[in-house]
Amino acid sequence: MTTTADHIVALLRPAAPANQFVQAEVALINQLAASWDRRRPPAASAPIAKIGLSPQDFAAAASRLGCTVAQIRAVDEVESNGSGFLPDGRPRILFEAHKFDEFTAGRFRASHPNLSSKTWNQKLYVGGTGEWDRLNRAITLDAVAALKSASAGRYQIMGFNFELADFESVEAFWAAMKRSERDHLDAFVAFIQSKRLQDELRQISNLHAACIPFAQGYNGLGYAKNGYHIKIARAHAKWSAR
């Protein structure tokens, strides 16, 4: 019997003669239960928490990438800086003026120098919610170019990499970045697979030099300036000891 049939039996048994059912009655109960089950709407899946990743989430991601949990946790710690969302619930972002300049062919360089710069300029960053102010101003100038010009979420994937993160459009990418850190992790896994950085990820260890291939592949040639490979090695030492 199904769970529904069991419930029906529990309700009807007190009224049955000697509290027993004959075979024909059991068949009718099963038919009734099957009819009710077909009419019942499917159970809603458990909602995914907006903020927070479970050990199971990291284990599943590590399995997909063929790496250890410590390796993926090391990258997660360095990239996320604790969370993919700001206190106000919006994803953490960083607007890149040199990318907006590139995608708009410099059209706004003169009129909006804080949003469009021919070269990378660290002084243009304002951090926190201020980066959203910059992005929103850029959206009024060229929405698609603006969305492509900011990194978002726990792993700071650039908008222009939406296809590498397995999204059909930059808008779909941003919708996922606003939804949950599970979406951030899924995008990260897809991005690593698309960039074929699995081998570099698997090389990560407590040694600084072992982390250079991934650091360079993920963050570009500027990784050394920020000591990215050193930070990953330190984080790996912490997580591999647990």
Side-chain angles (χ1 to χ4, degrees), residues 75 79 191-192 195-197 200-201 203-204 208-225 227-230 232:
V75 176
E79 276 297 320
F191 181 77
I192 294 300
K195 294 283 286 185
R196 298 185 178 180
L197 289 172
E200 290 80 356
L201 179 64
Q203 291 177 42
I204 288 175
H208 299 170
C211 301
I212 289 177
F214 181 82
Q216 182 172 329
Y218 193 80
N219 270 10
L221 296 176
Y223 76 91
K225 181 182 296 185
Y228 186 63
H229 59 306
I230 298 173
I232 292 179

Side-chain angles (χ1 to χ4, degrees), residues 128-216:
T129 59
E131 292 297 324
W132 273 97
D133 294 335
R134 297 177 69 212
L135 174 60
N136 288 330
R137 288 199 300 272
I139 286 175
T140 66
L141 302 175
D142 188 318
V144 173
L147 293 176
K148 288 181 177 180
S149 301
S151 59
R154 194 173 178 98
Y155 304 98
Q156 289 299 287
I157 297 173
M158 287 294 301
F160 65 79
N161 282 322
F162 68 89
E163 290 180 305
L164 295 179
D166 200 26
F167 294 96
E168 294 185 356
S169 67
V170 69
E171 292 85 0
F173 166 80
W174 277 93
M177 293 303 99
K178 294 176 181 179
R179 193 161 48 235
S180 76
E181 287 187 321
R182 174 85 68 80
D183 288 284
H184 298 182
L185 182 58
D186 287 342
F188 170 77
V189 171
F191 181 77
I192 294 300
Q193 291 172 328
S194 296
K195 294 283 286 185
R196 298 185 178 180
L197 289 172
Q198 295 99 314
D199 287 342
E200 290 80 356
L201 179 64
R202 295 172 194 135
Q203 291 177 42
I204 288 175
S205 74
N206 299 353
L207 301 176
H208 299 170
C211 301
I212 289 177
F214 181 82
Q216 182 172 329

